[in-house]
Amino acid sequence: MRLQLLIVAPVLLTAAAANIVVRGVAPQDLERYQPDVQERWACIGDPTIVIPYSRVNDDFCDCPDGSDEPGTSACEYKYYCANKGHIPKYISSARVNDGVCDYDVCCDGSDEVGAGLIRCENRCKEQAAEHAKREADAQRAQRGGWAARQKLVSKAAGAREKLQKELTAAVAAEASALAREKRAEEALERALAKAADGVRESEGVVRARARLNELRHAVAASGARARELEARTTRAEEILKTLSQEYNPNYNDEGVKAAVKAYNEFREAFGEVEGAIEVDETEDADEELLDVLATETASTNTDEEGYMRPVVTAARRAWNRVQGELVARGLLADRGFSSARPGESADVASARREQENAQRAVRDAVQKREQAEGELARGLGDEDVFRALAGECVEGESGEYVYELCFGGRVTQRGKSGSKTNLGTFERVTDGKLMFTKGTKCWNGPHRSATVEMACGEKHKIVAVSEPAMCEYLLRIVTPAVCTMPEAAKGRAGDEL
Ligand code: MAN
């Protein structure tokens, strides 16, 4: 190191000694402002224009680019303020020697130097001190802001993880709700099919009952006919019996003798007739009727009241099912089924209820999934940092209004009357700015909207509010959310790595 200094130092000294100092020229540009051996000098913008060196800074503009007058206001050029002890800057030549101390640029007051002009004291020391303080404050803010941001980032990561878990749960809930819905749909299908079967069955029962009635009538008619025939036969037999017992065998009557003979042969052939004629009532019953009877009752009663009872019961049951189905289809007024909703049989109603519950569960799950997906997909800044700020608000006064900014929420403007105007709802982070849109409609104009520009700060603070175009607001805030890692911390972070 020492060896290097020894070599470099004489070179620097030689170069510095050779350069003539020119007012308004930065040290690094002095070389270009040295005369040639003939004491001439070439304009910087156009070196073909060569002027005597004495015309540099002679308060007269010679070069088209104004480069021959860096230290006066003769040309449109730039003046270099050395601002020793602080930060060197350039000021427009028009502000040189204009009778105003331009301390915002030239803290050394060098812009006003000349015979008869005001003298500007050097304020660089104070400005440097203020600057140093501001820098220290900014660094402190950056350190504090960075630390606060780290916390926000980890909070955001937690919130994101929670959302991801919610999404996973919603996806699983959706899958199981969909499966439940499918099962419920199938169950409802079955219940409806069963009710429809009920309709068919009742038709069978109705047909069976009609057939049974036919048979009953036939049996009854047969019985009556049989009883009539029996009565007539009995009567005829009685007549013949009387005749055979009471006729006069000595009276040669061929007709009477033939009748008695025939009667005796009849008696020998058929014997005495005992009781009523037996009729098998199921004799003519068809398969369908037997099926109905077998399904609807285990009873084998053959007496009229006995065998009709199960048929009536079956018919009633079938009717109940038909009725349920008709009510379910809105064709019949509901007479009130125990656990059914109006218009449905209990089975169908409960299957439909389950289907509705399952559909609701699917809707809920889909809504939750979509909500979680939407939330996760939102652009919320680097490392999702603004996710951590949801719900936090900051207030600031500007002009006649008090503005409130709620991260992830709305920006509002409160007037003296106290009523709040919505300046927009948070939509996204674009180019490092928070965008709030769709606020209250502006009279004869667009919906209000607000853009929030951010700089690093330890705490949220509204710094300024303006309305660049009517009902379009610009808020400048400081917030830890946008703080970057301080240089010093970068070194440490590197060491840690
Ligand atoms: C209110 C405020 C203003 C806005 C006007 C537009 O006075 O919201 O910021 O410019 O309405 O009519």
Side-chain angles (χ1 to χ4, degrees), residues 154-231:
S154 82
K155 191 177 167 195
R160 191 172 181 83
E161 204 178 307
K162 189 168 166 263
L163 268 172
Q164 256 149 359
K165 278 186 188 152
E166 278 171 24
L167 176 61
T168 310
V171 167
E174 186 181 344
S176 82
L178 280 169
R180 179 181 166 193
E181 188 187 33
K182 188 164 177 281
R183 283 195 305 275
E185 269 166 12
E186 287 165 358
L188 178 60
E189 280 299 308
R190 282 196 300 276
L192 286 170
K194 208 172 154 202
D197 277 351
V199 174
R200 281 195 289 281
E201 195 179 335
S202 82
E203 282 165 1
V205 169
V206 167
R207 276 204 312 280
R209 190 166 56 176
R211 178 79 181 122
L212 195 65
N213 276 337
E214 270 173 40
L215 291 170
R216 272 185 59 240
H217 284 120
V219 167
S222 304
R225 179 88 181 121
R227 277 189 292 278
E228 186 199 347
L229 290 173
E230 188 189 11

Side-chain angles (χ1 to χ4, degrees), residues 14 27 89 98 151 254 275 300 363 381 425-426 436 449:
T14 316
K89 283 179 185 166
D98 65 346
K151 283 185 191 151
E254 287 305 320
T300 52
R363 279 199 300 277
T425 301
F426 176 68
F436 292 75
S449 61

Side-chain angles (χ1 to χ4, degrees), residues 440-459:
T440 311
K441 197 174 169 347
C442 191
W443 186 78
N444 243 351
H447 282 272
R448 286 175 172 79
S449 61
T451 301
V452 179
E453 286 182 357
M454 296 167 287
C456 170
E458 230 173 326
K459 295 209 164 74

